[in-house]
PDB file of all heavy atoms in Angstrom:
ATOM      1  N   LEU A   5     107.159 212.548 112.574  1.00  0.00           N
ATOM      2  CA  LEU A   5     106.349 213.477 113.220  1.00  0.00           C
ATOM      3  C   LEU A   5     105.535 212.822 114.312  1.00  0.00           C
ATOM      4  O   LEU A   5     105.593 211.603 114.393  1.00  0.00           O
ATOM      5  CB  LEU A   5     105.414 214.196 112.290  1.00  0.00           C
ATOM      6  CG  LEU A   5     106.049 214.828 111.002  1.00  0.00           C
ATOM      7  CD1 LEU A   5     105.024 215.439 110.078  1.00  0.00           C
ATOM      8  CD2 LEU A   5     107.087 215.874 111.375  1.00  0.00           C
ATOM      9  N   ALA A   6     104.758 213.633 115.137  1.00  0.00           N
ATOM     10  CA  ALA A   6     103.883 212.937 116.158  1.00  0.00           C
ATOM     11  C   ALA A   6     102.942 211.978 115.624  1.00  0.00           C
ATOM     12  O   ALA A   6     102.499 211.018 116.150  1.00  0.00           O
ATOM     13  CB  ALA A   6     103.226 214.078 116.889  1.00  0.00           C
ATOM     14  N   PHE A  23     121.192 215.495 117.273  1.00  0.00           N
ATOM     15  CA  PHE A  23     120.662 216.290 118.236  1.00  0.00           C
ATOM     16  C   PHE A  23     121.475 216.171 119.543  1.00  0.00           C
ATOM     17  O   PHE A  23     121.786 217.160 120.232  1.00  0.00           O
ATOM     18  CB  PHE A  23     119.245 215.914 118.629  1.00  0.00           C
ATOM     19  CG  PHE A  23     118.225 216.066 117.395  1.00  0.00           C
ATOM     20  CD1 PHE A  23     117.088 215.335 117.386  1.00  0.00           C
ATOM     21  CD2 PHE A  23     118.596 216.883 116.374  1.00  0.00           C
ATOM     22  CE1 PHE A  23     116.179 215.414 116.304  1.00  0.00           C
ATOM     23  CE2 PHE A  23     117.653 217.015 115.274  1.00  0.00           C
ATOM     24  CZ  PHE A  23     116.568 216.266 115.243  1.00  0.00           C
ATOM     25  N   VAL A  26     124.994 217.804 119.210  1.00  0.00           N
ATOM     26  CA  VAL A  26     124.804 219.280 119.239  1.00  0.00           C
ATOM     27  C   VAL A  26     124.663 219.738 120.696  1.00  0.00           C
ATOM     28  O   VAL A  26     125.397 220.634 121.097  1.00  0.00           O
ATOM     29  CB  VAL A  26     123.781 219.788 118.294  1.00  0.00           C
ATOM     30  CG1 VAL A  26     123.581 221.312 118.574  1.00  0.00           C
ATOM     31  CG2 VAL A  26     124.141 219.594 116.800  1.00  0.00           C
ATOM     32  N   THR A  28     125.160 218.173 123.585  1.00  0.00           N
ATOM     33  CA  THR A  28     126.345 217.876 124.500  1.00  0.00           C
ATOM     34  C   THR A  28     127.449 218.781 124.147  1.00  0.00           C
ATOM     35  O   THR A  28     128.107 219.205 125.201  1.00  0.00           O
ATOM     36  CB  THR A  28     126.880 216.317 124.196  1.00  0.00           C
ATOM     37  OG1 THR A  28     125.727 215.487 124.424  1.00  0.00           O
ATOM     38  CG2 THR A  28     127.886 216.081 125.123  1.00  0.00           C
ATOM     39  N   THR A  49     120.212 222.048 137.195  1.00  0.00           N
ATOM     40  CA  THR A  49     119.699 220.954 137.991  1.00  0.00           C
ATOM     41  C   THR A  49     118.431 220.405 137.295  1.00  0.00           C
ATOM     42  O   THR A  49     118.310 219.185 137.135  1.00  0.00           O
ATOM     43  CB  THR A  49     119.196 221.535 139.423  1.00  0.00           C
ATOM     44  OG1 THR A  49     120.310 221.986 140.053  1.00  0.00           O
ATOM     45  CG2 THR A  49     118.493 220.392 140.216  1.00  0.00           C
ATOM     46  N   ILE A  53     117.533 216.605 135.348  1.00  0.00           N
ATOM     47  CA  ILE A  53     116.289 215.847 135.703  1.00  0.00           C
ATOM     48  C   ILE A  53     115.475 215.614 134.373  1.00  0.00           C
ATOM     49  O   ILE A  53     115.035 214.467 134.056  1.00  0.00           O
ATOM     50  CB  ILE A  53     115.350 216.615 136.713  1.00  0.00           C
ATOM     51  CG1 ILE A  53     116.093 216.791 138.032  1.00  0.00           C
ATOM     52  CG2 ILE A  53     114.088 215.990 136.772  1.00  0.00           C
ATOM     53  CD1 ILE A  53     115.381 217.592 139.039  1.00  0.00           C
ATOM     54  N   LEU A  56     117.296 212.942 132.318  1.00  0.00           N
ATOM     55  CA  LEU A  56     117.076 211.586 132.830  1.00  0.00           C
ATOM     56  C   LEU A  56     115.764 211.058 132.515  1.00  0.00           C
ATOM     57  O   LEU A  56     115.523 209.885 132.230  1.00  0.00           O
ATOM     58  CB  LEU A  56     117.240 211.672 134.413  1.00  0.00           C
ATOM     59  CG  LEU A  56     118.713 211.929 134.899  1.00  0.00           C
ATOM     60  CD1 LEU A  56     118.654 212.014 136.476  1.00  0.00           C
ATOM     61  CD2 LEU A  56     119.558 210.766 134.526  1.00  0.00           C
ATOM     62  N   PHE A  57     114.741 212.014 132.488  1.00  0.00           N
ATOM     63  CA  PHE A  57     113.368 211.576 132.054  1.00  0.00           C
ATOM     64  C   PHE A  57     113.411 211.053 130.693  1.00  0.00           C
ATOM     65  O   PHE A  57     112.809 210.032 130.342  1.00  0.00           O
ATOM     66  CB  PHE A  57     112.382 212.679 132.252  1.00  0.00           C
ATOM     67  CG  PHE A  57     111.103 212.516 131.540  1.00  0.00           C
ATOM     68  CD1 PHE A  57     110.061 211.694 131.986  1.00  0.00           C
ATOM     69  CD2 PHE A  57     110.873 213.170 130.309  1.00  0.00           C
ATOM     70  CE1 PHE A  57     108.949 211.377 131.335  1.00  0.00           C
ATOM     71  CE2 PHE A  57     109.699 212.950 129.546  1.00  0.00           C
ATOM     72  CZ  PHE A  57     108.750 212.033 130.126  1.00  0.00           C
ATOM     73  N   ASP A  69     110.881 212.453 115.958  1.00  0.00           N
ATOM     74  CA  ASP A  69     112.106 213.189 115.600  1.00  0.00           C
ATOM     75  C   ASP A  69     111.839 214.663 115.818  1.00  0.00           C
ATOM     76  O   ASP A  69     112.637 215.418 116.259  1.00  0.00           O
ATOM     77  CB  ASP A  69     112.614 212.844 114.226  1.00  0.00           C
ATOM     78  CG  ASP A  69     113.066 211.438 114.104  1.00  0.00           C
ATOM     79  OD1 ASP A  69     113.578 210.829 115.102  1.00  0.00           O
ATOM     80  OD2 ASP A  69     112.954 210.815 113.027  1.00  0.00           O
ATOM     81  N   TYR A  72     111.881 215.565 119.469  1.00  0.00           N
ATOM     82  CA  TYR A  72     113.309 215.608 119.974  1.00  0.00           C
ATOM     83  C   TYR A  72     114.036 216.858 119.411  1.00  0.00           C
ATOM     84  O   TYR A  72     114.946 217.416 120.181  1.00  0.00           O
ATOM     85  CB  TYR A  72     114.032 214.333 119.606  1.00  0.00           C
ATOM     86  CG  TYR A  72     113.649 213.171 120.447  1.00  0.00           C
ATOM     87  CD1 TYR A  72     113.128 212.074 119.873  1.00  0.00           C
ATOM     88  CD2 TYR A  72     113.800 213.224 121.834  1.00  0.00           C
ATOM     89  CE1 TYR A  72     112.767 210.903 120.660  1.00  0.00           C
ATOM     90  CE2 TYR A  72     113.398 212.126 122.623  1.00  0.00           C
ATOM     91  CZ  TYR A  72     113.032 210.979 122.001  1.00  0.00           C
ATOM     92  OH  TYR A  72     112.545 209.921 122.816  1.00  0.00           O
ATOM     93  N   CYS A  76     115.516 219.618 121.864  1.00  0.00           N
ATOM     94  CA  CYS A  76     117.022 219.916 121.752  1.00  0.00           C
ATOM     95  C   CYS A  76     117.190 221.470 121.644  1.00  0.00           C
ATOM     96  O   CYS A  76     118.091 221.947 122.359  1.00  0.00           O
ATOM     97  CB  CYS A  76     117.596 219.191 120.549  1.00  0.00           C
ATOM     98  SG  CYS A  76     119.307 219.593 120.241  1.00  0.00           S
ATOM     99  N   TYR A  78     115.252 223.819 122.745  1.00  0.00           N
ATOM    100  CA  TYR A  78     114.916 224.463 123.982  1.00  0.00           C
ATOM    101  C   TYR A  78     116.043 224.274 124.997  1.00  0.00           C
ATOM    102  O   TYR A  78     116.404 225.271 125.706  1.00  0.00           O
ATOM    103  CB  TYR A  78     113.653 223.947 124.520  1.00  0.00           C
ATOM    104  CG  TYR A  78     113.327 224.429 125.998  1.00  0.00           C
ATOM    105  CD1 TYR A  78     113.007 225.712 126.245  1.00  0.00           C
ATOM    106  CD2 TYR A  78     113.654 223.539 127.062  1.00  0.00           C
ATOM    107  CE1 TYR A  78     112.899 226.179 127.545  1.00  0.00           C
ATOM    108  CE2 TYR A  78     113.482 223.975 128.322  1.00  0.00           C
ATOM    109  CZ  TYR A  78     113.110 225.332 128.532  1.00  0.00           C
ATOM    110  OH  TYR A  78     112.995 225.758 129.813  1.00  0.00           O
ATOM    111  N   SER A  86     122.549 229.626 131.000  1.00  0.00           N
ATOM    112  CA  SER A  86     123.254 229.271 132.245  1.00  0.00           C
ATOM    113  C   SER A  86     124.758 229.643 132.208  1.00  0.00           C
ATOM    114  O   SER A  86     125.396 229.727 133.207  1.00  0.00           O
ATOM    115  CB  SER A  86     123.037 227.815 132.622  1.00  0.00           C
ATOM    116  OG  SER A  86     123.784 227.023 131.692  1.00  0.00           O
ATOM    117  N   THR A  89     124.620 233.472 133.084  1.00  0.00           N
ATOM    118  CA  THR A  89     123.374 233.887 133.794  1.00  0.00           C
ATOM    119  C   THR A  89     122.470 234.567 132.791  1.00  0.00           C
ATOM    120  O   THR A  89     122.862 235.209 131.795  1.00  0.00           O
ATOM    121  CB  THR A  89     123.610 234.857 134.961  1.00  0.00           C
ATOM    122  OG1 THR A  89     123.857 236.166 134.545  1.00  0.00           O
ATOM    123  CG2 THR A  89     124.732 234.323 135.863  1.00  0.00           C
ATOM    124  N   PHE A  95     123.915 237.526 123.921  1.00  0.00           N
ATOM    125  CA  PHE A  95     122.929 237.642 122.888  1.00  0.00           C
ATOM    126  C   PHE A  95     121.758 238.605 123.341  1.00  0.00           C
ATOM    127  O   PHE A  95     121.233 239.400 122.527  1.00  0.00           O
ATOM    128  CB  PHE A  95     122.298 236.272 122.528  1.00  0.00           C
ATOM    129  CG  PHE A  95     121.300 236.309 121.423  1.00  0.00           C
ATOM    130  CD1 PHE A  95     121.625 236.668 120.079  1.00  0.00           C
ATOM    131  CD2 PHE A  95     120.014 236.019 121.628  1.00  0.00           C
ATOM    132  CE1 PHE A  95     120.711 236.746 119.049  1.00  0.00           C
ATOM    133  CE2 PHE A  95     118.973 236.068 120.643  1.00  0.00           C
ATOM    134  CZ  PHE A  95     119.386 236.454 119.321  1.00  0.00           C
ATOM    135  N   TYR A 102     120.509 246.534 119.812  1.00  0.00           N
ATOM    136  CA  TYR A 102     120.034 246.673 118.421  1.00  0.00           C
ATOM    137  C   TYR A 102     118.611 247.166 118.387  1.00  0.00           C
ATOM    138  O   TYR A 102     118.278 248.004 117.593  1.00  0.00           O
ATOM    139  CB  TYR A 102     120.001 245.288 117.829  1.00  0.00           C
ATOM    140  CG  TYR A 102     119.717 245.329 116.263  1.00  0.00           C
ATOM    141  CD1 TYR A 102     120.690 245.646 115.305  1.00  0.00           C
ATOM    142  CD2 TYR A 102     118.536 245.031 115.814  1.00  0.00           C
ATOM    143  CE1 TYR A 102     120.435 245.710 113.992  1.00  0.00           C
ATOM    144  CE2 TYR A 102     118.223 245.081 114.461  1.00  0.00           C
ATOM    145  CZ  TYR A 102     119.237 245.469 113.557  1.00  0.00           C
ATOM    146  OH  TYR A 102     118.879 245.458 112.242  1.00  0.00           O
ATOM    147  N   PHE A 116     109.441 232.093 126.791  1.00  0.00           N
ATOM    148  CA  PHE A 116     108.540 231.974 125.727  1.00  0.00           C
ATOM    149  C   PHE A 116     108.788 230.579 124.964  1.00  0.00           C
ATOM    150  O   PHE A 116     107.853 229.887 124.541  1.00  0.00           O
ATOM    151  CB  PHE A 116     108.757 233.083 124.680  1.00  0.00           C
ATOM    152  CG  PHE A 116     107.900 232.898 123.357  1.00  0.00           C
ATOM    153  CD1 PHE A 116     106.618 233.295 123.485  1.00  0.00           C
ATOM    154  CD2 PHE A 116     108.470 232.513 122.286  1.00  0.00           C
ATOM    155  CE1 PHE A 116     105.828 233.172 122.238  1.00  0.00           C
ATOM    156  CE2 PHE A 116     107.758 232.396 121.053  1.00  0.00           C
ATOM    157  CZ  PHE A 116     106.381 232.716 121.087  1.00  0.00           C
ATOM    158  N   SER A 117     110.125 230.241 124.804  1.00  0.00           N
ATOM    159  CA  SER A 117     110.422 229.005 124.142  1.00  0.00           C
ATOM    160  C   SER A 117     109.985 227.821 124.883  1.00  0.00           C
ATOM    161  O   SER A 117     109.663 226.760 124.235  1.00  0.00           O
ATOM    162  CB  SER A 117     111.964 228.914 123.969  1.00  0.00           C
ATOM    163  OG  SER A 117     112.392 229.974 123.140  1.00  0.00           O
ATOM    164  N   GLY A 119     107.132 227.358 126.394  1.00  0.00           N
ATOM    165  CA  GLY A 119     105.829 227.009 125.879  1.00  0.00           C
ATOM    166  C   GLY A 119     105.787 226.775 124.385  1.00  0.00           C
ATOM    167  O   GLY A 119     105.074 225.795 123.934  1.00  0.00           O
ATOM    168  N   LEU A 121     108.168 225.697 122.248  1.00  0.00           N
ATOM    169  CA  LEU A 121     108.905 224.492 121.780  1.00  0.00           C
ATOM    170  C   LEU A 121     108.430 223.251 122.379  1.00  0.00           C
ATOM    171  O   LEU A 121     108.555 222.189 121.834  1.00  0.00           O
ATOM    172  CB  LEU A 121     110.409 224.730 121.929  1.00  0.00           C
ATOM    173  CG  LEU A 121     111.004 225.818 121.222  1.00  0.00           C
ATOM    174  CD1 LEU A 121     112.512 226.073 121.547  1.00  0.00           C
ATOM    175  CD2 LEU A 121     110.799 225.656 119.726  1.00  0.00           C
ATOM    176  N   MET A 126     104.709 217.698 124.511  1.00  0.00           N
ATOM    177  CA  MET A 126     103.816 217.396 125.538  1.00  0.00           C
ATOM    178  C   MET A 126     102.397 216.830 124.999  1.00  0.00           C
ATOM    179  O   MET A 126     101.933 215.870 125.434  1.00  0.00           O
ATOM    180  CB  MET A 126     103.455 218.669 126.457  1.00  0.00           C
ATOM    181  CG  MET A 126     104.471 218.938 127.494  1.00  0.00           C
ATOM    182  SD  MET A 126     103.964 220.223 128.686  1.00  0.00           S
ATOM    183  CE  MET A 126     104.165 221.682 127.678  1.00  0.00           C
ATOM    184  N   TYR A 136      95.118 210.011 125.579  1.00  0.00           N
ATOM    185  CA  TYR A 136      94.178 210.911 125.991  1.00  0.00           C
ATOM    186  C   TYR A 136      93.304 211.388 124.797  1.00  0.00           C
ATOM    187  O   TYR A 136      93.811 211.279 123.629  1.00  0.00           O
ATOM    188  CB  TYR A 136      94.672 212.191 126.667  1.00  0.00           C
ATOM    189  CG  TYR A 136      95.170 211.967 128.066  1.00  0.00           C
ATOM    190  CD1 TYR A 136      95.342 210.727 128.646  1.00  0.00           C
ATOM    191  CD2 TYR A 136      95.487 213.056 128.827  1.00  0.00           C
ATOM    192  CE1 TYR A 136      95.759 210.540 129.939  1.00  0.00           C
ATOM    193  CE2 TYR A 136      95.876 212.910 130.211  1.00  0.00           C
ATOM    194  CZ  TYR A 136      96.005 211.579 130.754  1.00  0.00           C
ATOM    195  OH  TYR A 136      96.325 211.417 132.053  1.00  0.00           O
ATOM    196  N   THR A 139      91.061 216.563 122.208  1.00  0.00           N
ATOM    197  CA  THR A 139      90.727 217.916 122.711  1.00  0.00           C
ATOM    198  C   THR A 139      91.542 218.013 124.031  1.00  0.00           C
ATOM    199  O   THR A 139      92.144 219.113 124.256  1.00  0.00           O
ATOM    200  CB  THR A 139      89.235 218.045 123.083  1.00  0.00           C
ATOM    201  OG1 THR A 139      88.505 217.897 121.885  1.00  0.00           O
ATOM    202  CG2 THR A 139      89.026 219.487 123.655  1.00  0.00           C
ATOM    203  N   ILE A 146      98.913 223.527 127.255  1.00  0.00           N
ATOM    204  CA  ILE A 146      98.832 224.922 127.718  1.00  0.00           C
ATOM    205  C   ILE A 146      98.675 225.049 129.181  1.00  0.00           C
ATOM    206  O   ILE A 146      99.301 225.961 129.823  1.00  0.00           O
ATOM    207  CB  ILE A 146      97.605 225.617 126.902  1.00  0.00           C
ATOM    208  CG1 ILE A 146      97.804 225.577 125.435  1.00  0.00           C
ATOM    209  CG2 ILE A 146      97.437 227.024 127.410  1.00  0.00           C
ATOM    210  CD1 ILE A 146      96.554 226.006 124.675  1.00  0.00           C
ATOM    211  N   GLU A 157     108.737 229.595 139.054  1.00  0.00           N
ATOM    212  CA  GLU A 157     108.980 230.938 139.694  1.00  0.00           C
ATOM    213  C   GLU A 157     109.071 230.701 141.296  1.00  0.00           C
ATOM    214  O   GLU A 157     109.803 231.428 141.960  1.00  0.00           O
ATOM    215  CB  GLU A 157     107.832 231.916 139.376  1.00  0.00           C
ATOM    216  CG  GLU A 157     107.864 232.237 137.953  1.00  0.00           C
ATOM    217  CD  GLU A 157     109.110 232.903 137.383  1.00  0.00           C
ATOM    218  OE1 GLU A 157     109.823 233.558 138.156  1.00  0.00           O
ATOM    219  OE2 GLU A 157     109.449 232.791 136.219  1.00  0.00           O
ATOM    220  N   ALA A 174     121.780 236.628 140.896  1.00  0.00           N
ATOM    221  CA  ALA A 174     122.181 236.047 139.622  1.00  0.00           C
ATOM    222  C   ALA A 174     121.194 235.033 139.070  1.00  0.00           C
ATOM    223  O   ALA A 174     120.960 234.869 137.888  1.00  0.00           O
ATOM    224  CB  ALA A 174     123.567 235.345 139.761  1.00  0.00           C
ATOM    225  N   GLN A 179     116.444 241.816 137.216  1.00  0.00           N
ATOM    226  CA  GLN A 179     116.878 243.205 136.575  1.00  0.00           C
ATOM    227  C   GLN A 179     116.035 244.331 136.998  1.00  0.00           C
ATOM    228  O   GLN A 179     115.734 245.295 136.208  1.00  0.00           O
ATOM    229  CB  GLN A 179     116.964 243.103 135.072  1.00  0.00           C
ATOM    230  CG  GLN A 179     117.830 241.974 134.574  1.00  0.00           C
ATOM    231  CD  GLN A 179     117.893 241.901 132.982  1.00  0.00           C
ATOM    232  OE1 GLN A 179     118.272 242.813 132.368  1.00  0.00           O
ATOM    233  NE2 GLN A 179     117.322 240.772 132.462  1.00  0.00           N
ATOM    234  N   PHE A 210      96.218 221.555 105.561  1.00  0.00           N
ATOM    235  CA  PHE A 210      96.705 220.488 104.807  1.00  0.00           C
ATOM    236  C   PHE A 210      95.770 219.202 104.941  1.00  0.00           C
ATOM    237  O   PHE A 210      96.097 218.132 104.535  1.00  0.00           O
ATOM    238  CB  PHE A 210      98.117 220.095 105.037  1.00  0.00           C
ATOM    239  CG  PHE A 210      99.165 221.267 104.613  1.00  0.00           C
ATOM    240  CD1 PHE A 210      99.528 222.206 105.473  1.00  0.00           C
ATOM    241  CD2 PHE A 210      99.565 221.288 103.321  1.00  0.00           C
ATOM    242  CE1 PHE A 210     100.410 223.208 105.179  1.00  0.00           C
ATOM    243  CE2 PHE A 210     100.391 222.295 102.869  1.00  0.00           C
ATOM    244  CZ  PHE A 210     100.815 223.168 103.819  1.00  0.00           C
TER     245      PHE A 210
END
Side-chain angles (χ1 to χ4, degrees):
L5 308 177
F23 301 156
V26 170
T28 303
T49 300
I53 294 174
L56 289 175
F57 165 75
D69 296 329
Y72 283 122
C76 178
Y78 172 73
S86 70
T89 76
F95 180 66
Y102 188 83
F116 176 82
S117 298
L121 297 176
M126 280 192 283
Y136 282 16
T139 303
I146 298 174
E157 296 300 330
Q179 303 180 63
F210 293 97

